[in-house]
Amino acid sequence: MKKILEHIKIGASKKRKLLAVLIDPDKMDLGLLSQFVDKVNQSIITHIFIGGSTVESKMTQNLVSALKPLTKLPLVLFPGDVGQISKDADALLFLSLLSGRNPDYLIGKHVEAVSVLKDSDLEIIPTGYILIESGKETAVQRVTKTQPLIEVDTIVDTAKAGELLGMQLIYLEAGSGAKQPISKEIIAKVKAIIGCPLIVGGGIKSMKALNEAYKAGADMVVIGTAFEKDESFFKELNESL
Ligand code: 1GP
């Protein structure tokens, strides 16, 4: 049964504010993991995403193994590459980088991943991933050698095309550490045209930005840097309850 996607769909239909913390295996010190996850467990965070643009092999597996006994939250892989697949996670966002025209990230990596995925119980969630200009070059841009989208109409049409191709989630990405999060206008226009849940991430560093993203139409928001750099963000989050 596709539990995690189903849960996201139900959450979106009931207008629950889903929130994922992104943990980059490359940046997380495993010695500090338990203390970090305690804070995650006590917060309103609903999902743990795991991934990064450049992660050495085994680091994802080590992180997933360390996370499993510490939390009941769903562990969702958000991989930058095929080496970031761990069969012990709960689900995998099977990302197709729709904003770019690099065949490796549209279909190539997916073909490579099949040998690992075919024997796993991971819930695989086809996800249209759209990188949007945010004011500075992002790691996704560098690694995938693609350009982010700028034009609102193109972004909206790209999201809809992804849904028509069968993607179950659309993910608007400003890039980790982006100066500007995705604009309210873009979120609202994409949300208005798609029927599937909308994920928004990149550059969200304050409760104000988080609430604006939900208000504009994001069903799930993904935050990495603000939790990594500023653990008081957890406090702010809990105080907003
Ligand atoms: C997830 O890349 C983002 O979509 C995370 O971005 O690190 O800026 O929160 P931040």
Side-chain angles (χ1 to χ4, degrees), residues 22 78 129 171-173 175-178 200-204 222-226:
L22 173 63
F78 172 54
Y129 190 48
Y171 192 140
L172 300 178
E173 172 70 278
S176 187
V200 172
I204 295 177
V222 184
I223 299 180
T225 310

Side-chain angles (χ1 to χ4, degrees), residues 7 27 44 59 72 95 99 115-116 138 141 161 171-172 182 191 193-194 198 201 218 221 224 232:
H7 178 252
K27 295 187 189 151
I44 55 167
M59 291 190 88
K72 291 196 172 71
L95 302 166
S99 47
S115 57
V116 184
T138 61
Q141 207 176 325
Y171 192 140
L172 300 178
I182 310 279
K191 181 63 186 171
I193 200 170
I194 60 170
L198 177 62
V221 173
S232 67

Side-chain angles (χ1 to χ4, degrees), residues 12-165:
S13 70
K14 297 194 168 162
K15 306 223 174 315
R16 282 189 199 129
K17 294 174 177 168
L18 302 171
L19 176 61
V21 55
L22 173 63
I23 306 183
D24 184 338
D26 212 25
K27 295 187 189 151
M28 176 51 76
D29 175 348
L30 290 186
L32 301 175
L33 186 68
S34 141
Q35 160 187 346
F36 183 80
V37 177
D38 273 350
K39 293 198 176 102
V40 170
N41 288 337
Q42 285 159 30
S43 75
I44 55 167
I45 289 170
T46 55
H47 293 75
I48 298 180
F49 279 15
I50 298 151
S53 294
T54 47
V55 177
E56 278 177 37
S57 64
K58 294 229 176 105
M59 291 190 88
T60 303
Q61 181 56 48
N62 293 345
L63 176 62
V64 171
S65 305
L67 273 169
K68 274 209 113 164
L70 298 177
T71 185
K72 291 196 172 71
L73 292 175
L75 303 181
V76 180
L77 300 172
F78 172 54
D81 212 301
V82 185
Q84 295 181 37
I85 297 174
S86 157
K87 292 180 186 176
D88 296 329
D90 299 303
L92 164 76
L93 297 186
F94 207 42
L95 302 166
S96 195
L97 182 63
L98 303 178
S99 47
R101 294 297 175 267
N102 181 341
D104 285 347
Y105 292 90
L106 283 162
I107 181 66
K109 302 275 179 190
H110 312 71
V111 175
E112 271 178 55
V114 169
S115 57
V116 184
L117 296 179
K118 67 183 181 207
D119 305 318
S120 87
D121 291 328
L122 279 171
E123 179 181 335
I124 298 170
I125 308 177
T127 303
Y129 190 48
I130 302 175
L131 182 62
I132 291 169
E133 178 62 50
S134 64
K136 70 167 196 192
E137 196 192 44
T138 61
V140 180
Q141 207 176 325
R142 258 195 321 278
V143 171
T144 64
K145 301 190 176 61
T146 65
Q147 292 305 310
L149 296 180
I150 300 174
E151 291 288 319
V152 178
D153 289 349
T154 311
I155 295 166
V156 171
D157 290 353
T158 303
K160 188 64 189 175
E163 185 182 33
L164 293 173
L165 277 167

